[in-house]
Amino acid sequence: MLTEREIVSTLEMLKNEHLDVRTVTLGISLLDCASHDLDTFRSRVKEKITGVAKDLVRVCDEVGDKYGIPVINKRIAVSPVAVAAAPFSSEQMVSVALTLDEAAREVNVDFVGGFSALVEKGFANGDISLIEAIPEALAVTDRVCASVNVASTRAGINMDAVYLMGKIIKAAAEKTADKDGLACAKLCVFANIPEDIPFMAGAYLGIGEPDVVINVGVSGPGVVKKAIDRARNANPSLTLGDLSEIIKKTAFKVTRVGELIGREVADRLNVAFGVADLSLAPTPNVGDSVGEIFQSLGLASIGSPGSTAVLAMLNDAVKKGGAFASSYVGGLSGAFIPVSEDLNIAQAARDGFLSLEKLEAMTSVCSVGLDMVALPGDTPVETIAAIIADEMAIGVINKKTTAARLIPVPGKKAGEKACFGGLLGESTILPVMDKGSSEDFIRIGGRIPAPTQSLVN
């Protein structure tokens, strides 16, 4: 039974603390659209997406209005296109991306994810076609997001894929040079990618998922910050254990709200409810920043010594509270630290508190990885690949998801600003320590074997 005080605090979250449901993502399988004829495949894809998702935005808005809790983003995730469209060439894959974009526009969703390939253990023909199509596909579409899983704890790290993705990221940036390399903001390279992520740019619908399913992503960094501030103001002698308990209870309330919305949307659309993703996802808005939580816990800024420890505590408390609130937890479930999408983290990068190396250290305990990190435009392909390889190694060895969303900003140098617009925000370009020392390593190729942690059977 909730106390009156807990009910009032939940109402306060809704009214003043930016509590929202960050995303409701409709997963749609495209495997039954398969055809060797491109026109037939495109027609089936568009017909299925627009048919299944035609009421998604309206229903999300109606449920949000009913409870006074806005659903900020409505999105679609589809089966990995490299699998569903396996017979096609790179040029034909680009036309498939255009179809996805048209369908997303027709049903008025923000993004459609799933222009994806899973190549941790090797490439199939469809994988190569899709990966080679990514730069053009992301440049000519507005709403399509891509992801490539290049490593897993079970398979190791496909270093050929890592090197290839370094080249693809560079090419994607060049194709959108007039927008600071915006295409790269829609492209994630993963290790251990989950099949049910509701957040972009990594969302796709895994092969083992239902034909149609609703996954929901909750948020609430502003709510967590305010809860910590209130508690410390009322009792300055609280320990970190006490504060962890407060974060845990707050995550519980946030998750219950998210799951309530997700289940009602799923019921009204008459589709299955999948998972609640417990991630703390920030925005470029004041008062809704993961970085501000670090200041509430006593650090001058995210990036200061102690930041990795704070992030570990925060991530653990969010998982514990959320796991108790929902029987079906999935996706990434933790704290995001995207540089450009979080006002406070972007400020920390601008003020020199955050370096690429410190961000990498923090990704060993966060839920994603190097996220929305702007790099100098002249960063060599091999250096980009080496940064990806480091991030994949953290995920593989620690049996967790990690990702790299890197943006080499064409024509710009470290210290300059890159602007991506909207929720993607803006960021200071971080310097990269590069003396060509990674080139020989990256060019060796092959696959780094799976670690002993993979021997679990």
Side-chain angles (χ1 to χ4, degrees):
M1 177 76 73
L2 291 174
T3 65
E4 289 183 3
R5 185 172 179 177
E6 288 173 321
I7 293 171
V8 170
S9 73
T10 303
L11 292 173
E12 189 70 16
M13 290 178 185
L14 299 174
K15 187 177 178 183
N16 297 322
E17 298 173 6
H18 304 282
L19 177 60
D20 55 45
V21 173
R22 185 54 47 84
T23 182
V24 169
T25 301
L26 181 64
I28 303 173
S29 173
L30 300 184
L31 300 183
D32 56 355
C33 300
S35 171
H36 279 78
D37 181 77
L38 179 62
D39 291 338
T40 301
F41 178 73
R42 293 180 64 182
S43 174
R44 288 175 179 173
V45 166
K46 187 169 182 182
E47 183 179 350
K48 182 161 187 181
I49 292 176
T50 54
V52 172
K54 65 180 187 301
D55 295 324
L56 175 65
V57 172
R58 176 183 60 78
V59 168
C60 286
D61 289 342
E62 286 177 358
V63 174
D65 290 344
K66 175 182 174 182
Y67 293 103
I69 304 169
V71 177
I72 302 302
N73 302 302
K74 300 89 173 175
R75 294 167 172 177
I76 293 171
V78 299
S79 309
V81 171
V83 177
F88 302 129
S89 67
S90 294
E91 292 76 17
Q92 290 170 319
M93 287 287 188
V94 174
S95 68
V96 173
L98 287 168
T99 300
L100 294 175
D101 201 53
E102 290 168 11
R105 195 182 303 277
E106 190 164 321
V107 297
N108 198 29
V109 297
D110 318 89
F111 287 115
V112 53
F115 200 74
S116 305
L118 311 175
V119 296
E120 60 269 21
K121 209 167 183 177
F123 300 96
N125 290 336
D127 299 325
I128 291 290
S129 296
L130 181 128
I131 291 173
E132 290 179 344
I134 285 175
E136 180 71 12
L138 295 186
V140 299
T141 60
D142 295 322
R143 308 186 186 205
V144 174
C145 292
S147 59
V148 179
N149 193 70
V150 300
S152 74
T153 301
R154 283 298 186 93
I157 305 173
N158 182 345
M159 290 298 293
D160 293 328
V162 168
Y163 191 9
L164 179 57
M165 289 312 299
K167 298 174 183 175
I168 293 298
I169 288 171
K170 192 83 171 181
E174 294 295 340
K175 280 190 174 291
T176 48
D178 59 330
K179 300 176 183 174
D180 283 349
L182 178 64
C184 297
K186 301 186 289 177
L187 170 61
C188 275
V189 184
F190 273 94
N192 293 322
I193 186 172
E195 296 188 335
D196 51 11
I197 308 172
F199 291 103
M200 297 297 172
Y204 81 105
L205 187 72
I207 304 300
E209 294 284 305
D211 188 57
V212 184
V213 64
I214 285 285
N215 294 319
V216 61
V218 300
S219 182
V223 175
V224 171
K225 173 191 161 29
K226 289 289 178 60
I228 295 170
D229 289 345
R230 271 196 303 270
R232 294 197 75 190
N233 287 334
N235 182 3
S237 63
L238 286 175
T239 68
L240 288 172
D242 298 328
L243 294 167
S244 177
E245 184 69 13
I246 289 165
I247 296 169
K248 191 171 71 175
K249 289 180 177 175
T250 305
F252 173 85
K253 295 175 191 172
V254 169
T255 305
R256 295 295 274 184
V257 168
E259 181 157 334
L260 172 72
I261 299 293
R263 284 191 178 279
E264 182 148 345
V265 170
D267 284 345
R268 292 195 184 195
L269 292 175
N270 196 29
V271 302
F273 175 77
V275 300
D277 185 317
L278 312 177
S279 295
L280 287 182
T283 70
N285 300 324
V286 175
D288 203 19
S289 161
V290 170
E292 289 174 326
I293 297 173
F294 288 67
Q295 294 170 332
S296 292
L297 288 169
L299 294 177
S301 169
I302 184 172
S304 301
S307 295
T308 308
V310 166
L311 185 56
M313 185 189 84
L314 177 63
N315 225 24
D316 178 69
V318 167
K319 287 178 190 291
K320 287 174 176 171
F324 190 60
S326 174
S327 297
Y328 297 100
V329 173
L332 298 166
S333 291
F336 291 0
I337 50 170
V339 177
S340 72
E341 294 179 359
D342 184 302
L343 191 67
N344 190 272
I345 297 177
Q347 181 67 44
R350 190 157 48 247
D351 294 343
F353 283 102
L354 272 175
S355 65
L356 189 61
E357 291 74 19
K358 184 59 179 175
L359 279 168
E360 183 184 306
M362 293 171 68
T363 64
S364 64
V365 298
C366 83
S367 67
V368 187
L370 291 170
D371 198 13
M372 292 298 288
V373 179
L375 306 176
D378 60 358
T379 306
V381 164
E382 289 77 11
T383 300
I384 294 171
I387 294 169
I388 294 171
D390 285 342
E391 194 58 40
M392 300 301 103
I394 290 172
V396 167
I397 298 298
N398 292 290
K399 294 189 286 188
K400 68 187 289 293
T401 301
T402 53
R405 189 158 48 148
L406 306 174
I407 308 164
V409 184
K412 292 192 175 179
K413 299 178 180 178
E416 294 187 71
K417 185 189 291 184
C419 300
F420 308 112
L423 276 176
L424 299 175
E426 60 183 45
S427 173
T428 298
I429 298 170
L430 295 179
V432 177
M433 297 293 290
D434 174 54
K435 297 177 181 177
S437 55
S438 308
E439 186 172 335
D440 286 349
F441 166 66
I442 290 299
R443 287 179 181 275
I444 292 174
R447 181 157 58 97
I448 294 178
T452 55
Q453 290 94 316
S454 67
L455 303 177
V456 295
N457 286 330

